[in-house]
Amino acid sequence: MSAPESSRPRIQIRNLQKDKVDFVLSGVDMSYANSLRRAMMADVKTMAIDTVSILKNTSVLADEFLAHRLGLIPLYSPKCEDAAIWHMNCVCTEGCKYCSITYKLSVKAHNQRVVVTSNDISMERENEEGQNPYAEQEQLSDDDTRAQRTAMETRATVPGFGLPVGQSENTSKPIYLVKLAKGQEIEIVMRAFKGISKTHAKWSPLSAVSFEYDPHNNLRHTSYWYEDDAKAEWPLSVNAQHEQPVPENEPFDYMKEADKFYMEAEGTGAVDVADVVSYVRRPPFSSRFPSFSSLPLSFFPQPDLPHPPSPFSHLFSLPCSHRVSKNSR
Ligand SMILES: [Zn+2]
């Protein structure tokens, strides 16, 4: 006998924008939901600045401070899986065009105070051999390997690949790096490499991932501090309308477990959030989350949220599941 429809794993997209997604994951346990959250946050590859050479710095910020701020700038890097070789697998030593991107940041405040932002960073062209113009001569293989060709071909399909977010499109503001007083100057050369957030958070495509479950606290996983009336002082979340509170006179079910998770993720701009969700549905993650790759995925706008339906809904064109009603449980 097959499992009832309400207990089968499924995912329903409630709101999807370029840098934000809100979906309901149901029919799974909490460890599964948390594994998915961690995979979205830590396993998707992006580019981030990893080596910084400070040639001049007379600003008030120490070299290490500047290097840290530069590393945290999100770089537009969709399709990063194929668009760059892992530096550890590359034939170069200090970085080449196949495994990295070189940038330069050179600003001087001549007559007045200058605010240096991510828009002042320029991407440097590699020389014809793909060598770092700032490094000593490197020995690259004569063979243009398949991975190298794939990297270049993939990068060619992504206009603006590697640009700091804000330069790649005009919808976000540049990121402030440092203010230079009159006469101060910085000159920095840096390299971005492919990485994942398990190594360092700067490679995370998401700035925040969270989920809520059991909005009525039926499972009593938390206890609310209150002064007079817990219900009045702790208003229910918008997700409470999708579940029913257990009547107060009903005996507590010690065996009941959470099986519906209201997940939200916010992107840094490095990769579209829709691509992050799609990525963890493909191998090798589909083997780690066997049922997730085959989850029925549907899109429906959440009427209570102020956002309009997303134009990215075509990305989720797998067979639709049933829509959750308020009384579906
Ligand atoms: Zn290389």
Side-chain angles (χ1 to χ4, degrees), residues 85-87 90-100 140 148 191 193:
I85 299 175
W86 283 106
H87 182 46
C90 193
V91 293
C92 70
T93 53
E94 295 189 31
C96 65
K97 66 179 179 182
Y98 301 112
C99 67
S100 67
L140 283 175
Q148 288 173 334
R191 280 204 160 241
F193 293 91

Side-chain angles (χ1 to χ4, degrees), residues 5-130:
E5 183 66 32
S6 61
S7 65
R8 282 174 49 196
R10 61 183 173 185
I11 184 168
Q12 293 171 305
I13 309 293
R14 298 196 295 186
N15 180 36
L16 181 61
Q17 298 174 44
K18 193 177 173 64
D19 57 358
K20 200 179 286 185
V21 67
D22 175 345
F23 62 90
V24 182
L25 180 65
S26 55
V28 298
D29 62 18
M30 199 176 319
S31 62
Y32 188 103
N34 196 44
S35 299
L36 177 64
R37 181 186 71 84
R38 292 181 60 109
M40 288 169 61
M41 193 166 53
D43 284 325
V44 180
K45 296 158 191 74
T46 65
M47 300 294 284
I49 291 168
D50 198 41
T51 59
V52 176
S53 301
I54 310 271
L55 307 180
K56 283 183 193 165
N57 177 21
T58 54
S59 75
V60 295
L61 294 188
D63 292 354
E64 294 83 355
F65 203 126
L66 267 178
H68 183 248
R69 289 185 70 79
L70 290 165
L72 292 174
I73 295 171
L75 304 176
Y76 185 62
S77 43
K79 302 184 185 176
C80 192
E81 174 83 22
D82 299 322
I85 299 175
W86 283 106
H87 182 46
M88 67 186 97
N89 298 335
C90 193
V91 293
C92 70
T93 53
E94 295 189 31
C96 65
K97 66 179 179 182
Y98 301 112
C99 67
S100 67
I101 302 171
T102 306
Y103 304 86
K104 188 170 185 184
L105 173 61
S106 180
V107 183
K108 181 169 185 179
H110 291 283
N111 301 316
Q112 58 186 2
R113 190 178 67 178
V114 172
V115 175
V116 183
T117 71
S118 55
N119 279 357
D120 295 310
I121 296 173
S122 59
M123 209 189 287
E124 293 285 283
R125 284 180 63 84
E126 306 283 355
N127 60 26
E128 288 197 350
E129 289 76 38

Side-chain angles (χ1 to χ4, degrees), residues 238-259:
V238 68
N239 297 320
Q241 63 181 291
H242 300 296
E243 299 187 28
Q244 297 298 317
V246 173
E248 289 186 4
N249 55 357
E250 199 165 290
F252 181 65
D253 183 358
Y254 289 92
M255 302 302 290
K256 191 161 176 54
E257 293 182 1
D259 66 349

Side-chain angles (χ1 to χ4, degrees), residues 137-192:
Q137 286 295 304
E138 297 156 345
Q139 290 300 315
L140 283 175
S141 164
D142 292 335
D143 298 327
D144 197 22
T145 65
R146 187 161 158 262
Q148 288 173 334
R149 280 201 307 274
T150 303
M152 290 298 107
E153 287 168 6
T154 307
R155 230 179 271 187
T157 65
V158 185
F161 183 88
L163 284 175
V165 168
Q167 282 191 38
S168 54
E169 28 72 39
N170 297 323
T171 52
S172 44
K173 293 179 181 175
I175 296 162
Y176 277 36
L177 293 170
V178 61
K179 283 182 183 173
L180 299 180
K182 186 177 173 184
Q184 292 181 343
E185 180 179 15
I186 55 171
E187 187 176 349
I188 301 171
V189 177
M190 51 214 146
R191 280 204 160 241

